[in-house]
């Protein structure tokens, strides 16, 4: 009742539209590299819930010695992984279709069998409708904080520093072009890899010397 403007005449079902408006507001005032987040209530047909959302655009890192690379979906996913670490959760992204996001550049994010939310690239048509100039890539994510219940802030034990330094190995794997990075990581993280701390893909090659349909 009695909203401050027409925008606030209804209850929001998502954090993303408000974050996108704030991003556009900053872009119009000369801020090209924008990082925003918000935590609060959203409302759906099933009731009220608490969520956290984040949105990014612009350069990943600006340094005089190198060309600045734009943020991408992996930056948005990385923020989600930081949230997961706070609850001692291992997150698993899976390709998904989410309204307002670009198909093929959007993932649903799970912890075990629970869907926490999604991350991805905002559809250019949505950004354009909000007044963002053409050609600006915007990535965002949104998690349901209620989905963290049960694991959140569980007992975290302090562990001694390892006696030996960590070992990093680069592996080149020949696999089918349709195999997702998430499936590849899950295969490497088979039970029994007690000392494996991190798996990260850093390159994808397809061309000379690689059979058709393989990467």
């Amino acid at each position: 009742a009695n909203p401050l403007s027409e925008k606030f005449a209804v209850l929001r079902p998502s954090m993303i539209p408000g974050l996108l408006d704030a991003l556009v507001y900053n872009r119009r005032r000369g801020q090209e590299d924008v990082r925003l987040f918000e935590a609060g209530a959203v409302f759906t047909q099933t009731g009220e819930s608490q969520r956290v959302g984040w949105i990014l655009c612009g350069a990943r890192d600006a340094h005089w010695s190198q060309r600045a690379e734009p943020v991408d979906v992996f930056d948005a996913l990385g923020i989600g992984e930081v949230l997961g670490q706070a609850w001692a959760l291992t997150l698993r992204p899976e390709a998904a279709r989410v309204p307002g996001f670009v198909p093929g550049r959007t993932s649903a994010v799970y912890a075990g069998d629970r869907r926490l939310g999604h991350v991805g690239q905002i559809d250019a048509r949505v950004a354009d409708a909000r007044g963002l100039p053409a050609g600006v890539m915007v990535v965002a994510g949104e998690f349901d904080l209620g989905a963290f219940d049960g694991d959140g802030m569980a007992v975290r034990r302090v562990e001694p520093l390892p006696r030996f330094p960590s070992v990093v190995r680069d592996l080149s794997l020949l696999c089918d072009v349709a195999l997702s990075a998430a499936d590849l990581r899950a295969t490497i993280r088979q039970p029994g890899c007690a000392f494996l701390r991190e798996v990260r893909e850093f390159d994808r090659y397809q061309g000379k010397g690689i059979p058709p349909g393989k990467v």
Side-chain angles (χ1 to χ4, degrees), residues 107-125:
S107 296
V109 180
Y110 294 85
D113 295 330
R114 286 176 297 158
R115 178 166 174 166
L116 302 181
H118 54 270
V119 298
Q121 180 180 341
I122 299 291
D123 193 314
R125 293 169 295 183

Side-chain angles (χ1 to χ4, degrees), residues 19-208:
L19 286 168
L20 184 55
D21 284 344
L23 181 144
V24 172
Y25 182 91
N26 280 269
R27 292 279 305 192
R28 287 175 173 173
R29 284 154 181 80
Q31 300 298 322
E32 295 187 356
D33 304 330
V34 182
R35 312 281 189 273
L36 300 173
F37 79 94
E38 182 180 4
V42 299
F43 304 85
T44 64
Q45 292 180 337
T46 59
E48 178 181 348
S49 62
Q50 296 292 319
R51 294 187 189 177
V52 59
W54 57 97
I55 196 166
L56 308 87
C57 78
R60 178 179 294 116
D61 292 303
H63 193 273
W64 62 268
S65 65
Q66 58 189 10
R67 182 169 61 90
E69 295 291 338
V71 296
D72 58 22
V73 174
F74 293 103
D75 295 289
L77 180 60
I79 294 174
E81 290 175 340
V82 170
L83 286 172
Q85 290 171 3
W87 271 266
L89 297 175
T90 299
L91 305 189
R92 186 182 81 257
E94 292 186 6
R97 287 183 172 271
V98 178
F101 286 77
V102 178
R105 296 186 179 181
T106 303
S107 296
V109 180
Y110 294 85
D113 295 330
R114 286 176 297 158
R115 178 166 174 166
L116 302 181
H118 54 270
V119 298
Q121 180 180 341
I122 299 291
D123 193 314
R125 293 169 295 183
V126 175
D128 178 68
R130 295 279 177 170
L132 192 69
V136 178
M137 179 186 292
V138 179
V139 295
E142 185 172 18
F143 280 4
D144 180 358
L145 292 176
F148 287 90
D149 287 350
D151 299 284
M153 313 316 290
V155 174
R156 306 288 296 279
R157 298 188 180 280
V158 176
E159 297 181 0
L161 293 174
R163 291 181 59 192
F164 307 103
S166 61
V167 177
V168 178
R169 287 288 181 266
D170 293 345
L171 303 177
S172 296
L173 306 175
L174 183 66
C175 56
D176 192 87
V177 69
L179 185 66
S180 70
D183 290 338
L184 196 61
R185 286 194 298 269
T187 302
I188 296 173
R189 287 189 177 278
Q190 290 294 324
C193 295
F195 299 105
L196 180 61
R197 288 292 177 259
E198 181 183 4
V199 178
R200 180 174 62 90
E201 64 280 4
F202 64 91
D203 194 15
R204 184 177 186 271
Y205 175 73
Q206 186 177 20
K208 184 178 180 181

